[in-house]
């Protein structure tokens, strides 16, 4: 059995938003105030049939037309309509973790415990989370800081099983000319994103990503969320035998820090944009363990 | 048969984004520059089982756990994992028009034609839209202008079948102290939103909303999108017998102007916030006819 | 807390099929040997969008085209095909309890226990039942016996909350000229089936059906399954305050006797067919708590 | 463009059941009367997550718990229930062509035409088939005849791309000691079924199966349905370049003869059971292009 996680977060026993508490209005105004050119970088990939997913816990994204202009016009004519208004509308089957998405704090447990000493048995229902669902994540408008680890290590991308370490992060911050501040959102570029949707088999086989010390280094400095251009933020497989997804456990369940996955960071890196106003507005799917999103970085 | 819509939009025959062309960088910077206090208004409702939907073309939102911490820990122990990382993850069945959402330009046809003279038969496939899907809608960061028609008409809300007219809009703009400018997003408050999720039967029975002249009045002044605190932006049933959803046809198919539905506008109205920086980031669901969203207004 | 159910069934601790053990080859041959005219009665209703379902535990049946002849022909032409073979194929979202269906033994628990002293926590996984799923139910080819209780009580149908009692059953058996024998499948006609799909609101509001003594009377005589022309076989609401679905508990969890719901029994009754060869072949959906079926009665 | 199919079937312009017209009561009584030992052979595979499916037109089978005994007991206690009745109930996402299944006559088109000169555009709606859906297929209780082609050709199984020809069928019938009679259901054993669920990649890569002349040979003799121990009954890829799924077109769209796929025929062959009473009861999913089934053969 794992150690129990600390029973209460620093934000009190009722807290459900974790490190989003660090998103102060001052932080928001500073980020917005940093905008100069108004250029918007879209840092998300599409959600679509064919997007990578991690079996067996994730299911494929399916989408198909439920109402077409042809049939809706026919039906409406029968009801007496004369203006031939045709509706196109689809049905979607998906998980909340498809494409570029954010993880809710309730997405991962350490043993039987979720974030803030919350017993999973009390809040995980058949129909989702009674607490710690993504609807609690506030709009995130803050500074984004890009750790271009891939760019720094010279190659096009790091390799599966290769950990992004605290040292990597320190050097990337130096190279980017910034230090981590509370309420920042860290964007980690491993270069692995180039295989999203272009070679899913490879993308899913393993990935470069954070190890626990790197996550801890970021979190100790007050980061609100950690995003990366890979499927799980963290290095896969984990170098420590028998340890599976420890960065998810540590960030979400122990520290209340959000994870953002499958980010598209190539354009930011190419333009050497290391700090920007980062905006992520997670659709409030009540009780969901995450949400597909379309974050942007504005400079 | 309906009249053909004009074969090409003002933005050229290849255009897929319509009035989002009006979202210039200057417009964006002006909106961002208007922010003073940094206060964020969340103008969206939750997406959840029980959210209203318009049968028969829309289906109910369903969500249930596909992977629970209990089972994932069990499975991982069998694979040799020792850190008891439990995953909670759901399956969702939905349409893109659940909760607060934006309509893609390809959502509605006029007869066989979609926006920009696009033959529906060419682009509506079994699996969604080959063109005019929501993934083409750019991030929307612009000025939002609140027409508090309900506030102006005195009651708590307008009534089903009651049209918001150009005259209503003019008076609401006067009352709010703003004029419409190109690239603005109009937010129409009818008061009907109070029944979203609290009395779905009533919410869906009909609604106050725009008539075509009101939509035309907004669009002629260069609006990019029209949002409202109801299911369909437009008045239901339409006062003209035999005419069904004409504002959808006119806005989306004829003019390339987006619609945003099920907005939560009570708080803005209560605080008399008539202009704000409005941000809507639609998840890029490839080929989808819309997307659930979480727009915000910042002052 | 409820009483524990007897820890082992009469068919041994490993048994997963319950009263289907009574479906001997002799029983089967006798039922088949009783066929004279070869006339087949279809005793099932359609499965379709609009079929009644019991919220909140059951979800609506949804079906829509995923591949159409139009698009598949287009795609195949691109691949070089010249014979224009078009496929039509749908996606279905459903529960296993839609339309005429059979309940698996693992469908109901008494507290934490399923049939045969099986701890629910051990066998109910995120993905269905590890034991007691419908795939274990053998083909059922046996004698069906019709208790035409509605016919006997004079009216077109019994009323919601009105219990079918042992006395009703005895009289209906007398009237039908049969006695219950081991391995029989009981078909209970309450007349309520006439509202299936014709007035779903009424059909679901409550129903006439078995009380526990009636179920016990049948089970004591060795019945394999109990079917009825209603949603739940049993009377709803149950006359005993605070007791919910006790016939499900008693039949499935305690006795290992199957339930068959939403049967169409009008035609059998009209033709005064009280005994017949009954055939039910449940699709082997692995781990499912039931299956939609198409049982027939042959005379 | 393909040739038009003959505008009317031999069973009249209104016919929707095709060769099921040959299932006379005499045929049924003869099949039932042939039963001696009462032994039932289950000739179906399970339907389950992991069952093979043909991308891109078929989607994977997904199943997960929607209501668990844990949560339903909790909810019912809150409503005042004292008997702790727990429900287990799942949601399923599937096509009708999963596992052992039967194809409806409307499943395939020849160009724009379905069986009996039915324009596909008239009957294929967003929500399924308005005509020729599987609900029209009557209960099938008739003689099944096993063509053990794999057994005859000596190896464990035939090979992908290897056609079962009329000559194979003639020899297999001779070897089995039967001739084809109207209303029979042909069961073709290629041996390929051994890879169903055991090596899906191989199972789907191609398959041995019927060529068009073999289908014609069967159909000319009045067969009602053709089943096989493979995914598509017919040989894949088809030996004729540019011709895709011609047996589906010929059988379903031109001749009104049903196809049954993914049959489990090993046990029948091992026991040298060449003729039997075959029973298939397709769940009446209204408008569906097929149905998963559990056919049996009884001797």
């Amino acid at each position: 059995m794992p150690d129990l996680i600390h029973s209460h977060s620093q934000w009190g026993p009722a807290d459900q938003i974790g490190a989003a508490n660090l998103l102060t209005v001052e932080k928001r105004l500073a980020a917005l105030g940093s905008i100069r050119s108004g250029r918007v970088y879209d840092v998300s990939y599409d959600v679509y049939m064919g997007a990578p997913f991690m079996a067996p816990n994730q299911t494929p994204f399916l989408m198909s037309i439920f109402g077409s202009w042809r049939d809706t016009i026919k039906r409406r004519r029968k009801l007496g309509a004369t203006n031939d208004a045709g509706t196109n509308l689809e049905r979607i089957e998906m998980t909340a973790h498809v494409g570029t998405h954010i993880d809710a704090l309730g997405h991962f447990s350490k043993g039987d415990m979720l974030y803030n000493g919350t017993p999973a048995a009390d809040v995980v229902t058949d129909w989702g989370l009674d607490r710690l669902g993504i609807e609690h994540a506030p709009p995130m408008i803050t500074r984004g800081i890009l750790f271009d680890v891939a760019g720094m290590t010279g190659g096009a991308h790091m390799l599966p099983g290769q950990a992004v370490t605290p040292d990597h992060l320190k050097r990337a911050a130096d190279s980017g000319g910034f230090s981590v501040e509370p309420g920042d959102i860290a964007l980690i570029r491993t270069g692995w994103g180039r295989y999203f949707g272009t070679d899913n088999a490879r993308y899913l086989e393993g990935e470069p990503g954070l190890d626990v010390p790197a996550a801890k280094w970021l979190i100790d400095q007050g980061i609100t969320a950690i995003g990366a251009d890979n499927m799980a933020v963290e290095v896969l497989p984990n170098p420590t035998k028998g340890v599976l997804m420890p960065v998810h456990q540590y960030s979400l369940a122990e520290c209340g820090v959000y994870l953002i996955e499958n980010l598209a960071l190539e354009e930011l890196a190419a333009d050497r944009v290391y700090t920007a106003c980062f905006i992520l507005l997670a659709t409030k799917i009540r009780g969901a363990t995450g949400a597909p999103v379309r974050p942007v970085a504005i400079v």
Side-chain angles (χ1 to χ4, degrees), chain A:
Chain A
M1 281 297 294
D3 297 342
L4 285 184
I5 60 182
H6 41 68
S7 52
H8 294 312
S9 88
Q10 59 183 296
W11 297 288
D15 180 60
Q16 295 195 57
I17 69 169
N21 282 292
L22 300 169
L23 298 173
T24 61
V25 69
E26 293 75 24
K27 184 80 189 169
R28 184 183 311 136
L29 285 169
L32 290 164
S34 75
I35 296 172
R36 292 290 171 269
S37 74
R39 167 143 187 211
V40 176
Y41 289 86
D42 187 333
V43 294
S44 67
Y45 291 109
D46 282 11
V47 167
Y48 65 105
M49 292 207 281
F53 61 98
M54 295 179 88
N57 294 323
Q58 298 179 354
T59 50
F61 180 87
L62 302 175
M63 186 174 94
S64 53
I65 289 293
F66 185 74
S68 71
W69 96 100
R70 275 192 196 92
D71 282 21
T72 50
I73 288 177
K74 276 188 206 169
R75 286 199 296 271
R76 286 164 181 165
R77 283 186 184 171
K78 283 186 191 160
L79 298 172
T82 59
N83 61 323
D84 281 356
T87 299
N88 297 308
L89 192 139
E90 64 287 286
R91 275 174 59 206
I92 290 169
E93 154 83 37
M94 67 176 199
T95 76
H97 298 261
V98 61
T100 305
H101 66 275
I102 183 168
D103 290 350
L105 297 187
H107 176 43
F108 253 69
S109 80
K110 186 165 184 177
D112 296 338
M113 289 292 180
L114 304 181
Y115 168 69
N116 208 359
T118 310
D122 289 357
V123 304
V124 183
T125 76
D126 293 338
W127 302 333
L129 303 172
D130 266 358
R131 292 174 57 79
L132 303 175
I134 198 60
E135 75 274 24
H136 298 290
M140 295 181 178
I141 304 170
T142 189
R143 188 172 73 146
I145 49 178
L146 176 69
F147 296 83
D148 185 4
V149 186
M152 197 180 69
T153 51
H157 60 74
M158 298 174 72
L159 296 172
Q162 187 181 359
V164 171
T165 64
D167 182 61
H168 282 126
L169 295 180
K170 282 173 209 165
R171 287 162 51 208
D174 285 349
S175 167
F178 60 83
S179 357
V180 183
E181 293 166 12
D184 281 346
I185 290 184
L187 310 172
I188 315 294
R189 179 172 173 267
T190 66
W192 200 240
R194 72 187 55 215
Y195 300 116
F196 179 98
T198 60
D199 186 348
N200 285 342
R202 185 169 185 180
Y203 191 65
L204 294 166
E205 228 169 12
E207 65 184 36
L210 294 196
D211 61 13
V212 172
K216 186 171 188 317
W217 184 82
L218 289 169
I219 291 169
D220 284 349
Q221 295 175 83
I223 216 87
T224 287
I226 310 172
D229 59 346
N230 58 17
M231 198 74 194
V233 173
E234 64 186 292
V235 60
L236 297 179
N238 193 278
T240 307
K241 199 171 170 313
V243 172
L244 206 140
M245 297 286 221
V247 172
H248 271 69
Q249 279 190 309
Y250 182 72
S251 301
L252 298 169
E254 293 207 76
C255 303
V257 168
Y258 299 83
L259 301 177
I260 309 168
E261 291 154 335
N262 298 323
L263 283 167
L265 301 175
E266 295 304 294
E267 208 177 1
L268 284 182
D271 286 2
R272 300 176 180 278
V273 174
Y274 299 113
T275 65
C277 177
F278 182 86
I279 306 183
L280 183 150
L281 305 173
T283 303
K284 291 183 293 184
I285 310 174
R286 195 184 291 171
T289 65
V293 290
R294 186 187 197 166
V296 293
I298 317 181
V299 291

